Amino acid sequence: MPLSPKPQDEAPAEAGPATGPARADGLSRRSLAAQAMGRIDPVTRGVVPPLHVSTTFIRDPDNAYSSGFAYARPDNATVREAESVIAMLEGAQAGALLFGSGMAAATAVFTALEPGDHVVAPKVMYWALRRWLREEAPRRTFAIDFVDADDLDALRAAMRPGRTKLVWIETPGNPLWTVTDIAAAADIAHAAGARLAVDSTAASPVHTRPLALGADIVMHSATKILNGHSDVVAGVLAAGRADAFWERIGAIRANGGAILGPFEAYLLMRSLRTLPLRAAAQSASALDLARRLRRHAFVASILSPGLPDDPGHAVAARQMEGGFGYMLSIRVRGGEEAAIGTAARVRLWKRATSLGGVESLIEHRASVEGPGSPCPPDLLRLSTGIEDPADLYRDLDAALWAAHGGEPRQA
Ligand SMILES: *Cc1c(COP(=O)(O)O)cnc(C)c1O
């Protein structure tokens, strides 16, 4: 029997710590995720539900669709199963919606705005979404201002009460890992009559639950740690309240055909079972690396909210639980050339874009980000996987020395 017979309708009511009880029956989010909400296949009693691939469904003699399924563009049972686990992890009473990518999920929120609406977005944010906003906002009739969202006074000053309908934040913000106070941003947004949406990709639902802190919508690129194995592109939105805006987003997904495919949803479902373990291990490794690298001769600075002297640490310590996320960036002494040289010399780290996978990735971020990027040229973005952090440190240390003309130190 499923641990929750109708998971869509029974997302946990109250927020709890990452490993603590999420539901009245005492099961933690980790336990619920491990068993995918306890779902079994009703036909075979298999402990893994089947992959539902049918695009169409038989009508009843009375012309109804008693199964609740008619066609696969608006809805799919495997997609629903993965959504129910994410809704549980986020404490999302109104449920979750999976999309074909993180960008499809994020842009659905902006597409749901009305002509003339005003939007506030952060300067430090996922570069492709910033590019989309810069290119699309002028054509789509919504006005947008980019602010330093970690500066609450700047955020407050950007609000146009009555006109601002959406505040978008990303915390920690890619690729500088600046931290925005979600509860304070929610207060500021709500006071002006706007909604708060949070891109929580770098935090994961294991370490932060924006809805419990007052946000209206949380978004993830599920391509990242939610799937975590670098083999699925997916995105998700989750909401606390099933209001008209949320319904409109659902209609935009259904009518625009942006739903995730069932095969991807199946792989995501498998990954979600281990998310709490992966997130805990990857965050612990990221913090371990940040602590080791701060003493490194060729590292000028470390951007990681887990370090006590990081400008975002106090807020992060308040709103994150069980870890500070799996991402960090370093600024390499010697500038852009030394940074690119370091990324070229690692062996264990993989020199590739993206984040959140079980394999660690390194990237010279300024090579990727376009105009308007706050990313300095000497910055390397590190996505920490599940390898031994001692091996990760040794590999990076050797590359830093080699890029600076020294002999790679053999430990
Ligand atoms: C990758 C990413 C996105 C976009 O997600 P896709 O799945 O690549 O479309 C959005 N926000 C953040 C923070 C990301 O890292």
Side-chain angles (χ1 to χ4, degrees), residues 100-104 106 126 129 170 172 174 199 201-202 219-224 233-235 354-355 381:
S101 70
M103 284 297 290
Y126 180 65
L129 185 57
E170 179 180 321
N174 191 356
D199 182 341
T201 301
M219 173 254 157
H220 292 275
S221 167
T223 314
K224 313 299 165 53
V233 172
S354 198
L355 41 134
R381 189 180 78 176

mmCIF file of all heavy atoms in Angstrom, residues 100-104 106 126 129 170 172 174 199 201-202 219-224 233-235 354-355 381, ligand 1:
data_model
loop_
_atom_site.group_PDB
_atom_site.id
_atom_site.type_symbol
_atom_site.label_atom_id
_atom_site.label_comp_id
_atom_site.label_asym_id
_atom_site.label_seq_id
_atom_site.Cartn_x
_atom_site.Cartn_y
_atom_site.Cartn_z
ATOM 1 N N GLY A 100 9.900 19.855 -19.533
ATOM 2 C CA GLY A 100 10.965 19.271 -20.336
ATOM 3 C C GLY A 100 12.350 19.802 -20.043
ATOM 4 O O GLY A 100 13.346 19.212 -20.479
ATOM 5 N N SER A 101 12.463 20.902 -19.304
ATOM 6 C CA SER A 101 13.765 21.435 -18.885
ATOM 7 C C SER A 101 13.537 22.454 -17.778
ATOM 8 O O SER A 101 12.399 22.898 -17.551
ATOM 9 C CB SER A 101 14.491 22.117 -20.058
ATOM 10 O OG SER A 101 13.829 23.321 -20.408
ATOM 11 N N GLY A 102 14.619 22.839 -17.116
ATOM 12 C CA GLY A 102 14.529 23.907 -16.125
ATOM 13 C C GLY A 102 14.075 25.207 -16.764
ATOM 14 O O GLY A 102 13.274 25.957 -16.197
ATOM 15 N N MET A 103 14.584 25.474 -17.964
ATOM 16 C CA MET A 103 14.200 26.696 -18.666
ATOM 17 C C MET A 103 12.719 26.694 -19.034
ATOM 18 O O MET A 103 12.046 27.733 -18.952
ATOM 19 C CB MET A 103 15.070 26.896 -19.913
ATOM 20 C CG MET A 103 16.474 27.398 -19.620
ATOM 21 S SD MET A 103 16.485 29.043 -18.860
ATOM 22 C CE MET A 103 15.938 30.042 -20.244
ATOM 23 N N ALA A 104 12.194 25.536 -19.428
ATOM 24 C CA ALA A 104 10.759 25.452 -19.749
ATOM 25 C C ALA A 104 9.933 25.734 -18.497
ATOM 26 O O ALA A 104 8.886 26.399 -18.559
ATOM 27 C CB ALA A 104 10.417 24.082 -20.323
ATOM 28 N N ALA A 106 10.941 27.547 -15.754
ATOM 29 C CA ALA A 106 11.107 28.948 -15.350
ATOM 30 C C ALA A 106 10.329 29.885 -16.280
ATOM 31 O O ALA A 106 9.621 30.791 -15.819
ATOM 32 C CB ALA A 106 12.595 29.312 -15.347
ATOM 33 N N TYR A 126 20.993 32.390 -13.019
ATOM 34 C CA TYR A 126 21.357 31.473 -14.098
ATOM 35 C C TYR A 126 21.378 32.237 -15.422
ATOM 36 O O TYR A 126 20.385 32.853 -15.814
ATOM 37 C CB TYR A 126 20.356 30.314 -14.140
ATOM 38 C CG TYR A 126 20.667 29.330 -15.207
ATOM 39 C CD1 TYR A 126 21.836 28.574 -15.149
ATOM 40 C CD2 TYR A 126 19.831 29.156 -16.288
ATOM 41 C CE1 TYR A 126 22.147 27.673 -16.142
ATOM 42 C CE2 TYR A 126 20.134 28.255 -17.293
ATOM 43 C CZ TYR A 126 21.287 27.516 -17.213
ATOM 44 O OH TYR A 126 21.597 26.641 -18.207
ATOM 45 N N LEU A 129 18.659 32.068 -18.247
ATOM 46 C CA LEU A 129 17.377 32.683 -17.899
ATOM 47 C C LEU A 129 17.498 34.207 -17.947
ATOM 48 O O LEU A 129 16.582 34.888 -18.402
ATOM 49 C CB LEU A 129 16.905 32.209 -16.516
ATOM 50 C CG LEU A 129 15.517 32.707 -16.105
ATOM 51 C CD1 LEU A 129 14.442 32.325 -17.110
ATOM 52 C CD2 LEU A 129 15.150 32.166 -14.714
ATOM 53 N N GLU A 170 17.137 33.747 -6.866
ATOM 54 C CA GLU A 170 17.853 32.472 -6.996
ATOM 55 C C GLU A 170 18.834 32.418 -5.835
ATOM 56 O O GLU A 170 19.666 33.324 -5.683
ATOM 57 C CB GLU A 170 18.594 32.445 -8.342
ATOM 58 C CG GLU A 170 19.393 31.169 -8.558
ATOM 59 C CD GLU A 170 20.112 31.168 -9.910
ATOM 60 O OE1 GLU A 170 19.542 31.632 -10.917
ATOM 61 O OE2 GLU A 170 21.264 30.688 -9.946
ATOM 62 N N PRO A 172 21.284 29.604 -3.273
ATOM 63 C CA PRO A 172 22.423 30.452 -3.635
ATOM 64 C C PRO A 172 22.439 30.714 -5.144
ATOM 65 O O PRO A 172 22.045 29.865 -5.929
ATOM 66 C CB PRO A 172 23.634 29.617 -3.202
ATOM 67 C CG PRO A 172 23.118 28.662 -2.163
ATOM 68 C CD PRO A 172 21.711 28.363 -2.559
ATOM 69 N N ASN A 174 23.785 31.424 -8.828
ATOM 70 C CA ASN A 174 24.796 30.938 -9.756
ATOM 71 C C ASN A 174 25.459 32.105 -10.504
ATOM 72 O O ASN A 174 24.727 32.931 -11.047
ATOM 73 C CB ASN A 174 24.048 30.035 -10.732
ATOM 74 C CG ASN A 174 24.913 29.211 -11.618
ATOM 75 O OD1 ASN A 174 26.119 29.310 -11.606
ATOM 76 N ND2 ASN A 174 24.271 28.393 -12.422
ATOM 77 N N ASP A 199 14.322 30.187 -7.546
ATOM 78 C CA ASP A 199 15.108 29.140 -8.208
ATOM 79 C C ASP A 199 16.009 28.543 -7.136
ATOM 80 O O ASP A 199 16.969 29.164 -6.690
ATOM 81 C CB ASP A 199 15.920 29.732 -9.369
ATOM 82 C CG ASP A 199 16.730 28.666 -10.116
ATOM 83 O OD1 ASP A 199 16.950 27.577 -9.564
ATOM 84 O OD2 ASP A 199 17.159 28.955 -11.261
ATOM 85 N N THR A 201 17.638 25.588 -7.309
ATOM 86 C CA THR A 201 18.427 24.503 -7.903
ATOM 87 C C THR A 201 19.694 24.198 -7.115
ATOM 88 O O THR A 201 20.031 23.043 -6.879
ATOM 89 C CB THR A 201 18.801 24.873 -9.362
ATOM 90 O OG1 THR A 201 17.602 25.086 -10.113
ATOM 91 C CG2 THR A 201 19.618 23.781 -10.016
ATOM 92 N N ALA A 202 20.410 25.256 -6.706
ATOM 93 C CA ALA A 202 21.694 25.042 -6.033
ATOM 94 C C ALA A 202 21.515 24.621 -4.577
ATOM 95 O O ALA A 202 22.458 24.113 -3.966
ATOM 96 C CB ALA A 202 22.550 26.307 -6.117
ATOM 97 N N MET A 219 11.259 26.694 -7.979
ATOM 98 C CA MET A 219 11.634 26.117 -9.272
ATOM 99 C C MET A 219 12.971 25.405 -9.123
ATOM 100 O O MET A 219 13.845 25.844 -8.378
ATOM 101 C CB MET A 219 11.748 27.249 -10.309
ATOM 102 C CG MET A 219 12.288 26.843 -11.664
ATOM 103 S SD MET A 219 13.999 27.431 -11.846
ATOM 104 C CE MET A 219 14.607 26.315 -13.077
ATOM 105 N N HIS A 220 13.109 24.271 -9.838
ATOM 106 C CA HIS A 220 14.401 23.581 -9.921
ATOM 107 C C HIS A 220 14.690 23.219 -11.356
ATOM 108 O O HIS A 220 13.785 22.783 -12.084
ATOM 109 C CB HIS A 220 14.391 22.259 -9.149
ATOM 110 C CG HIS A 220 14.302 22.402 -7.670
ATOM 111 N ND1 HIS A 220 15.397 22.609 -6.878
ATOM 112 C CD2 HIS A 220 13.239 22.371 -6.844
ATOM 113 C CE1 HIS A 220 15.020 22.688 -5.620
ATOM 114 N NE2 HIS A 220 13.708 22.562 -5.561
ATOM 115 N N SER A 221 15.940 23.343 -11.749
ATOM 116 C CA SER A 221 16.394 22.587 -12.900
ATOM 117 C C SER A 221 16.625 21.176 -12.368
ATOM 118 O O SER A 221 17.614 20.916 -11.676
ATOM 119 C CB SER A 221 17.696 23.160 -13.466
ATOM 120 O OG SER A 221 18.233 22.214 -14.379
ATOM 121 N N ALA A 222 15.704 20.260 -12.682
ATOM 122 C CA ALA A 222 15.838 18.877 -12.203
ATOM 123 C C ALA A 222 16.958 18.141 -12.924
ATOM 124 O O ALA A 222 17.324 17.031 -12.547
ATOM 125 C CB ALA A 222 14.510 18.135 -12.368
ATOM 126 N N THR A 223 17.497 18.798 -13.960
ATOM 127 C CA THR A 223 18.699 18.306 -14.640
ATOM 128 C C THR A 223 19.856 18.195 -13.661
ATOM 129 O O THR A 223 20.774 17.413 -13.873
ATOM 130 C CB THR A 223 19.103 19.322 -15.742
ATOM 131 O OG1 THR A 223 17.944 19.687 -16.482
ATOM 132 C CG2 THR A 223 20.151 18.763 -16.668
ATOM 133 N N LYS A 224 19.814 19.001 -12.613
ATOM 134 C CA LYS A 224 20.938 19.118 -11.687
ATOM 135 C C LYS A 224 20.813 18.073 -10.577
ATOM 136 O O LYS A 224 20.619 16.916 -10.883
ATOM 137 C CB LYS A 224 21.010 20.565 -11.196
ATOM 138 C CG LYS A 224 20.908 21.605 -12.336
ATOM 139 C CD LYS A 224 22.035 21.475 -13.352
ATOM 140 C CE LYS A 224 21.784 22.235 -14.661
ATOM 141 N NZ LYS A 224 21.438 23.645 -14.505
ATOM 142 N N VAL A 233 17.447 15.860 -18.855
ATOM 143 C CA VAL A 233 17.148 17.295 -18.806
ATOM 144 C C VAL A 233 15.693 17.426 -18.370
ATOM 145 O O VAL A 233 14.798 16.835 -18.985
ATOM 146 C CB VAL A 233 17.368 17.964 -20.180
ATOM 147 C CG1 VAL A 233 16.875 19.411 -20.166
ATOM 148 C CG2 VAL A 233 18.850 17.922 -20.554
ATOM 149 N N ALA A 234 15.466 18.169 -17.280
ATOM 150 C CA ALA A 234 14.106 18.301 -16.743
ATOM 151 C C ALA A 234 14.026 19.537 -15.862
ATOM 152 O O ALA A 234 15.041 20.030 -15.379
ATOM 153 C CB ALA A 234 13.714 17.062 -15.931
ATOM 154 N N GLY A 235 12.808 20.018 -15.658
ATOM 155 C CA GLY A 235 12.602 21.148 -14.758
ATOM 156 C C GLY A 235 11.312 20.957 -13.992
ATOM 157 O O GLY A 235 10.433 20.198 -14.415
ATOM 158 N N SER A 354 27.244 22.375 -16.451
ATOM 159 C CA SER A 354 26.201 21.747 -15.637
ATOM 160 C C SER A 354 26.683 21.513 -14.206
ATOM 161 O O SER A 354 27.814 21.871 -13.842
ATOM 162 C CB SER A 354 25.694 20.439 -16.254
ATOM 163 O OG SER A 354 24.438 20.116 -15.678
ATOM 164 N N LEU A 355 25.789 20.966 -13.408
ATOM 165 C CA LEU A 355 26.050 20.829 -11.978
ATOM 166 C C LEU A 355 25.155 19.771 -11.357
ATOM 167 O O LEU A 355 24.165 19.339 -11.960
ATOM 168 C CB LEU A 355 25.837 22.175 -11.244
ATOM 169 C CG LEU A 355 24.639 23.046 -11.625
ATOM 170 C CD1 LEU A 355 23.939 23.538 -10.371
ATOM 171 C CD2 LEU A 355 25.123 24.245 -12.421
ATOM 172 N N ARG A 381 34.002 27.513 -11.537
ATOM 173 C CA ARG A 381 32.832 27.001 -10.836
ATOM 174 C C ARG A 381 33.016 25.504 -10.603
ATOM 175 O O ARG A 381 33.333 24.770 -11.540
ATOM 176 C CB ARG A 381 31.579 27.268 -11.670
ATOM 177 C CG ARG A 381 30.297 26.975 -10.917
ATOM 178 C CD ARG A 381 29.099 27.263 -11.777
ATOM 179 N NE ARG A 381 28.861 26.190 -12.738
ATOM 180 C CZ ARG A 381 27.828 26.153 -13.568
ATOM 181 N NH1 ARG A 381 26.955 27.147 -13.566
ATOM 182 N NH2 ARG A 381 27.666 25.153 -14.406
HETATM 183 C C1 LIG B 1 20.695 24.649 -15.200
HETATM 184 C C2 LIG B 1 19.943 25.692 -14.480
HETATM 185 C C3 LIG B 1 18.750 26.213 -14.981
HETATM 186 C C4 LIG B 1 18.186 25.788 -16.323
HETATM 187 O O1 LIG B 1 17.841 24.440 -16.310
HETATM 188 P P1 LIG B 1 17.856 23.497 -17.630
HETATM 189 O O2 LIG B 1 17.385 22.182 -17.079
HETATM 190 O O3 LIG B 1 19.269 23.493 -18.134
HETATM 191 O O4 LIG B 1 16.934 24.096 -18.613
HETATM 192 C C5 LIG B 1 18.094 27.163 -14.233
HETATM 193 N N1 LIG B 1 18.575 27.605 -13.064
HETATM 194 C C6 LIG B 1 19.722 27.121 -12.542
HETATM 195 C C7 LIG B 1 20.220 27.651 -11.239
HETATM 196 C C8 LIG B 1 20.457 26.162 -13.231
HETATM 197 O O5 LIG B 1 21.604 25.712 -12.732
#
